[in-house]
Amino acid sequence: MISMSTPAVEIQNLTVKIASKTVLSGINLSIEKGSFSVLAGANGAGKSILLKSICGLQKFNGNIKIFGKDLKEIDKSIIGYVPQNNVSEKNLPVSVYQAVSVGRFAKNGIFKRFNKSDEKIINNAMRIAQIEHIADSPLGEISGGEAQKVSMARVLAQQPEIILLDEPQAGLDPNSQKTFLNFVEKLYSGFGFTCLMVTHNMDLIPQCCSKIFSLKNVKIFEA
C-alpha cells in the first residue's frame, strides 16, 4: 500500500552525461502525490533530459523512485509523457483518432486488440480534450493547438497517475498558449493526477501550480 506521505516522484543524486558532457549533476527532487509542480529553466538547461530520465527514456546514474518503488520495477504506463511539439509527428499518415489510441497501446501493450472498454476510454479522452469533431482528420492537417490537445488526449487514454509535460505551449501563439494552459488546469482539477511541467517562460505557469523548481548550471533549486 502506498502511504499518502510517499512522494510520487523521488530523485536522489541523479547525474546524466551525454557524449562525456555533464548535463545534470547531483539532482535531488521530490514531487508530492497529487501536486502540480513546474520545473523552470533556460533552453538547453537539461529540463527535457530530466523528464526523459523519469520516464526511463534516458540513461542516468543515481536513483529514481515512483511511489516508493525503483523506476525499473514499476509499470511505466503509470507515467504519461507529453514531449515538446514534434513537427515530425504531424507527417505520420494517421488520423487524430489513431494518434489518441496509441495511449491504449501504451497501457495494454501493442499486441492486445482493443475491446469496447478501450474504445470507450479513447472516445472519452477525445471528448474531454474537445477534439471529437476532428477524430477522422489527418494528423498533418490540424493546428498546433489541436495537436497539443491530441497529445493530451493520448496521455489521458493511457490513464496514467503521473503526467510529465515538456514545454506544452511551445510553438503556439500567445492566445493558444493561454487557452492550452486553461485546458491543462481543468484537466488537473478534474483528475487530480500528479503533474510536473517544464517551461522556460515564467509567465506561462498555471495558477494551480503549488511548487516551482529552477534548473540552472546542472543543479536544481526550489524557487
Side-chain angles (χ1 to χ4, degrees), residues 21 108 141:
K21 179 183 178 182
N108 300 330
E141 296 181 6

Side-chain angles (χ1 to χ4, degrees), residues 84-94 139-140:
Q84 289 190 37
N85 195 6
N86 191 342
V87 176
S88 64
E89 288 187 358
K90 297 194 70 174
N91 295 324
L92 295 175
V94 298
L139 200 59

Side-chain angles (χ1 to χ4, degrees), residues 30-143:
S30 182
I31 304 296
E32 295 179 11
K33 182 180 178 182
S35 66
F36 192 114
S37 301
V38 166
L39 177 62
N43 289 328
K47 304 184 301 297
S48 296
I49 296 299
L50 182 61
L51 291 194
K52 289 179 180 178
S53 298
I54 296 172
C55 294
L57 301 176
Q58 174 65 53
K59 290 184 178 180
F60 61 86
N61 291 319
N63 295 298
I64 296 179
K65 292 184 178 181
I66 305 297
F67 297 118
K69 292 185 177 181
D70 189 275
L71 181 63
K72 296 177 182 178
E73 299 175 356
I74 68 162
D75 175 0
K76 298 296 193 304
S77 71
I78 68 171
I79 304 175
Y81 173 51
V82 178
Q84 289 190 37
N85 195 6
N86 191 342
V87 176
S88 64
E89 288 187 358
K90 297 194 70 174
N91 295 324
L92 295 175
V94 298
S95 68
V96 166
Y97 181 90
Q98 290 171 322
V100 174
S101 69
V102 170
R104 294 312 296 165
F105 286 120
K107 186 70 174 180
N108 300 330
I110 61 174
F111 298 110
K112 182 180 177 181
R113 297 186 65 178
F114 287 168
N115 55 33
K116 290 184 178 181
S117 176
D118 292 313
E119 293 175 359
K120 183 178 180 180
I121 290 169
I122 293 168
N123 289 327
N124 190 49
M126 295 185 66
R127 178 187 61 79
I128 293 168
Q130 299 178 332
I131 54 172
E132 290 176 295
H133 62 291
I134 58 170
D136 297 324
S137 299
L139 200 59
E141 296 181 6
I142 63 177
S143 69

